[in-house]
Amino acid sequence: MTTADNKTLDINQIKALLPHRYPMLLVDRVLTWEANKTITAIKNVTANEEFFNGHFPHKPVMPGVLMIEAMAQTAALLSFLSTNVKPDENSVVYFVGIDNTRFKRPVGPGDQLKMDVEILRTSRGIWKYKAVGSVDGQVAVEADLMCTIRNTVEA
């Protein structure tokens, strides 16, 4: 687990916290985080991403649902770091809701999607976040995300 002194995470530390793996692991690095408050992470978007083969071959665009997923994975990291819990193979983070979503600019090969996620509140095991994804300082996507962490053995 990351110590309180180290506010960055590399890909191996991210993989220790998230169950996602290629091609669904969409967070490459955590730049900074503050427990119970905020996290900033990046997704390096490369031309060899599998989804670009079909979305769209003539004008590659990262699907909006994957931008939302990348921000949700960033939010999940913040939740695990804030609670100082290292999930096991039975832990899953589920979406409860996605509100106020807006797509402001396309994201394509060569872009670096910077994701800023803030915890708005937690109540009865539901976490609500404000998430913003930007490229070169321009907002690409924003959404309010609601998630919960569940143990699949109990579900």
Side-chain angles (χ1 to χ4, degrees), residues 44-71:
N44 294 308
V45 182
T46 63
N48 61 349
E49 306 273 2
E50 187 63 33
F51 52 79
F52 285 137
N53 288 331
H55 198 268
F56 300 96
H58 62 285
K59 174 65 173 131
V61 176
M62 184 176 186
V65 68
L66 294 181
M67 289 189 274
I68 297 293
E69 175 65 23
M71 293 190 306

Side-chain angles (χ1 to χ4, degrees), residues 3 15 31 34 40 43 45-46 50 53 56 67 70 76 88-89 99 103 105 111-112 120 123 125 151 155:
T3 66
K15 287 168 77 172
L31 302 176
E34 185 177 350
T40 299
K43 162 65 177 147
V45 182
T46 63
E50 187 63 33
N53 288 331
F56 300 96
M67 289 189 274
D88 61 22
E89 64 274 359
D99 296 319
F103 298 97
R105 82 179 285 286
D111 286 340
Q112 185 176 73
L120 297 177
S123 177
N151 185 313

Side-chain angles (χ1 to χ4, degrees), residues 2-53:
T2 304
T3 66
D5 301 347
N6 184 5
K7 295 299 185 175
T8 65
L9 279 77
D10 63 24
I11 192 64
N12 292 317
Q13 293 167 307
I14 291 167
K15 287 168 77 172
L17 292 171
L18 292 180
H20 307 77
R21 295 296 178 264
Y22 178 83
M24 286 306 296
L25 181 58
L26 300 173
V27 180
D28 293 321
R29 176 172 291 280
V30 171
L31 302 176
T32 186
W33 62 274
E34 185 177 350
N36 300 303
K37 293 190 180 180
T38 63
I39 189 169
T40 299
I42 56 171
K43 162 65 177 147
N44 294 308
V45 182
T46 63
N48 61 349
E49 306 273 2
E50 187 63 33
F51 52 79
F52 285 137
N53 288 331

